[in-house]
Amino acid sequence: MQVWPGQTYPLGATYDGAGTNFAVFSEVADRIELCLLHDDGSETAVELRESDAFVRHAYIPGVMPGQRYGFRVHGPYDPARGHRCNSAKLLLDPYARAMSGSIDWHEAVYGYRFDRPDARNDLDSAPHTMTSVVINPFFDWADDRPPRIDYHRTVLYEAHVKGLTMLHPGLPEEIRGTYAALAHPEVIEHLVELGVTALELMPVHQFVTDNRLVDTGLTNYWGYNTIGFFAPHNAYASMGDRGQQVLEFKTAVRALHAAGIEVILDVVYNHTAEGNHLGPTLSLRGLDNASYYRLGPDPRYYTDTTGTGNSLLMRSPHTLQMIMDSLRYWVTEMHVDGFRFDLASTLARQFHEVDRLSSFFDLVQQDPVVSQVKLIAEPWDLGEGGYQVGNFPPLWTEWNGAYRDTVRDLWRGEPARLAEFGSRLTGSSDLYQDDGRRPLASINFVTCHDGFTLRDLVSYNEKHNEANGEGNRDGENYNRSSNCGVEGATEDEGILALRGRQLRNFIATLMLSQGVPMISHGDEFGRTQGGNNNAYCQDSEVTWVPWPKGAESGSGGTADIEALRMLEFTRSMVWLRRDHPVFRRRRFFHGRPVEGTHDDLSDIAWFTPEGEEMTQRDWQAAHARSLVVFLNGQAISEPGPRGEKITDASFLLMFNAHQAAMEFVVPINHGTEWQVVVDTAIPDGVLPGSGRKVRAGDRLRLMDRSLVVLMRPA
């Protein structure tokens, strides 16, 4: 076998049409072997003799796509000093573009002996672990272009590759649950008709199911257990895992882009699947443990701000390089349009505290590729001071947990929430305005993958996670939910009607709020997880989206009819938002008249149900759960894309979160005639065609826990 010196960059395995360059970093290693694996179980070892700046490298002619490989690192095994090298462990390439196989959790994949945890384990892990794969990077992107949807026109849809597509009746069975399913016209048509502009995929970086779940017959369904930051998860490929997963993923992105839909990845750069000091040796731990992980005062143990056993070392230049290389790779080579960063506060921990000016954010800010895509933070982790909603740098948007909590509280009837609800409805200026950000920094959501589904939010007071095998101890205990009178399933028509109203209230509130709305997959159908609010390990019909039957034939049952009705309402609210820029302003309201408007009215005004302007006392009243909001479509101050003045219809939003019906007075001096366009008290929610007309001073009776929207044409 010929072995040429090769290059230090790029790291990983790079095929050029004639052979493959291999490069891997380790400062602690004495020597590193590249192991080329054969289908009969044998391997060919090639020592990487060339080394520059602790990067070992070689070019091997004739190594083609589909070749499986791994590394064996010879170096110190001294946990007391933070070193865990062990040449008996076949290590995954941190930069591998694809990975093959799975881990069977034999004792051999661990660096220590089960009977003597302080002793090195010299069992060969190769027969029991995953392998890295050389891929063909060439792909015909044709005329693919990123949609580049502005934030003010963005509607996010959080989805799981398998969960979204596994039960879709219109898909061939052989592609359900795969990347190929995302590219299927049936799935794309649903997203387009719903009004989605960005598909936010739960983790598709290669992840593993840890041994604890395997032993209990469960799986890591969500995927927040990454082992490969460059590799698409192999189980989501329909054609095999020798690089086909890369082809399928790219094909899906190309198809979604052609439909005008962006692809955003939920990424987990805060920890890896190697766990704590008792975890397996799969990749980074065996390559250079101390360079990649945050070690504790006693280097045998890990600093854990993620609740997963370890945290990546964000002050290490090699960790930062790996993360930035990964982000650029997914943008430039896989054509994704942005990232949602799981437990993003951990990325800001250079030392102990969360620092918004940490090296990671500096690198992102100056990067000409990564800084130009959508960057969304989950602004918390489990460490001290980890809750950082509103504190990320101006380039970033954030999952607004305060929005979620406030909207849930309002509709379940919590006292003294009206003032904060007003702030959340109008873009959370208290969180984002002081550092120059705008309402679009707020990613608004009521539900997401973590917690109750929308249906369960109005059907359960308590979590029901028994199926997870942890005695119902896992998952959030404080859900801000209301079962509307009965825990779980019921045939009580009154309770079912109330639950239907609350579902429509949540969707309507989300779409009427300033900021960027995010829908959790299946909520448009009102799907349930049976009260499980931590379904991370449930790869079954518990978590898969139940697509309703009878959409065309009319053969569906009552549940399907209700699901389709909910879908139609959600579509209508999304398109109401898209059609009216007053609901998606790029600047905050300022509460005063705007020059040049013919009505000389403020851009926003607040009223009591009696039609009187809200006072400080009204805002602070503990019993107040209702209000009216006037949005002036003539007072949108920002210019259009060509510099033109934007005008829109004006709206009155009437919220009644009381447990009793109330009469609302249509305010005077803010428009003579209005038309009802939304009423969540009726089963369809949105009136077909033209709703009834009302005039200033008229009284409208709003059912308990309902919402009405009135429109005055421009």
Side-chain angles (χ1 to χ4, degrees), residues 492-508:
D492 186 299
E493 293 185 3
I495 291 175
L496 292 175
L498 174 56
R499 288 177 178 175
R501 287 203 303 280
Q502 291 287 53
L503 290 176
R504 293 188 290 272
N505 289 335
F506 282 124
I507 290 294

Side-chain angles (χ1 to χ4, degrees), residues 269-536:
Y269 292 113
N270 49 70
H271 74 281
T272 78
E274 291 186 296
N276 63 17
H277 62 289
L278 297 177
T281 299
L282 304 175
S283 183
L284 301 179
R285 173 172 285 150
L287 280 167
D288 196 331
N289 188 56
S291 288
Y292 283 112
Y293 291 114
R294 288 174 59 92
L295 304 181
D298 183 340
R300 291 176 298 173
Y301 306 107
Y302 296 85
T303 298
D304 178 16
T305 60
T306 65
T308 59
N310 65 59
S311 301
L312 287 175
L313 183 62
M314 299 310 297
R315 66 175 181 269
S316 163
H318 305 290
T319 299
L320 291 169
Q321 179 189 0
M322 179 181 68
I323 294 174
M324 295 305 299
D325 285 349
S326 170
L327 292 170
R328 279 191 296 271
Y329 173 78
W330 285 95
V331 175
T332 60
E333 298 299 319
M334 307 295 269
H335 286 208
V336 305
D337 305 282
F339 305 94
R340 178 266 187 188
F341 292 80
D342 178 66
L343 301 180
S345 292
T346 293
L347 302 175
R349 293 183 185 272
Q350 275 192 254
F351 297 97
H352 173 72
E353 70 286 347
V354 176
D355 179 7
R356 64 179 288 178
L357 300 179
S358 71
S359 298
F360 172 72
F361 294 112
D362 290 344
L363 289 172
V364 170
Q365 181 72 34
Q366 61 78 43
D367 191 280
V369 174
V370 180
S371 65
Q372 299 306 303
V373 300
K374 287 183 168 68
L375 302 172
I376 304 170
E378 182 186 35
W380 49 77
D381 66 12
L382 301 183
E384 182 181 350
Y387 191 78
Q388 294 290 321
V389 172
N391 291 330
F392 276 71
L395 188 66
W396 291 68
T397 60
E398 301 175 12
W399 271 24
N400 190 343
Y403 177 93
R404 171 200 60 203
D405 296 345
T406 302
V407 171
R408 289 186 179 193
D409 280 350
L410 176 85
W411 285 114
R412 72 190 181 110
E414 286 296 290
R417 300 297 280 169
L418 210 55
E420 186 169 1
F421 174 72
S423 178
R424 303 296 158 248
L425 183 73
T426 54
S428 297
S429 60
D430 58 325
L431 298 176
Y432 304 115
Q433 191 171 31
D434 61 348
D435 60 6
R437 286 192 283 176
R438 295 182 175 181
L440 305 171
S442 176
I443 304 298
N444 298 331
F445 67 106
V446 179
T447 58
C448 63
H449 69 274
D450 188 2
F452 282 148
T453 66
L454 200 62
R455 170 71 65 179
D456 289 352
L457 188 65
V458 301
S459 303
Y460 295 92
N461 285 347
E462 308 295 335
K463 64 185 182 183
H464 297 271
N465 299 353
E466 291 81 6
N468 296 354
E470 300 180 42
N472 206 34
R473 294 183 298 273
D474 62 305
E476 176 61 57
N477 292 316
Y478 185 46
N479 294 285
R480 291 181 160 90
S481 62
S482 171
N483 65 17
C484 298
V486 172
E487 189 75 356
T490 182
E491 295 183 1
D492 186 299
E493 293 185 3
I495 291 175
L496 292 175
L498 174 56
R499 288 177 178 175
R501 287 203 303 280
Q502 291 287 53
L503 290 176
R504 293 188 290 272
N505 289 335
F506 282 124
I507 290 294
T509 303
L510 181 63
M511 293 304 153
L512 297 172
S513 299
Q514 304 297 322
V516 180
M518 184 183 78
I519 303 168
S520 181
H521 72 322
D523 276 352
E524 71 270 31
F525 299 126
R527 79 177 181 95
T528 178
Q529 292 180 168
N532 192 324
N533 75 350
N534 189 36
Y536 74 101

Side-chain angles (χ1 to χ4, degrees), residues 131-168:
T131 57
S132 306
V133 178
V134 177
I135 70 160
N136 186 344
F138 306 110
F139 179 77
D140 182 10
W141 284 103
D143 58 352
D144 180 71
R145 295 289 186 276
R148 296 197 181 279
I149 308 295
D150 292 332
Y151 267 119
H152 70 283
R153 295 192 295 116
T154 295
V155 176
L156 291 164
Y157 186 85
E158 185 197 32
H160 188 282
V161 171
K162 188 172 185 179
L164 177 64
T165 63
M166 196 63 187
L167 296 179
H168 197 301

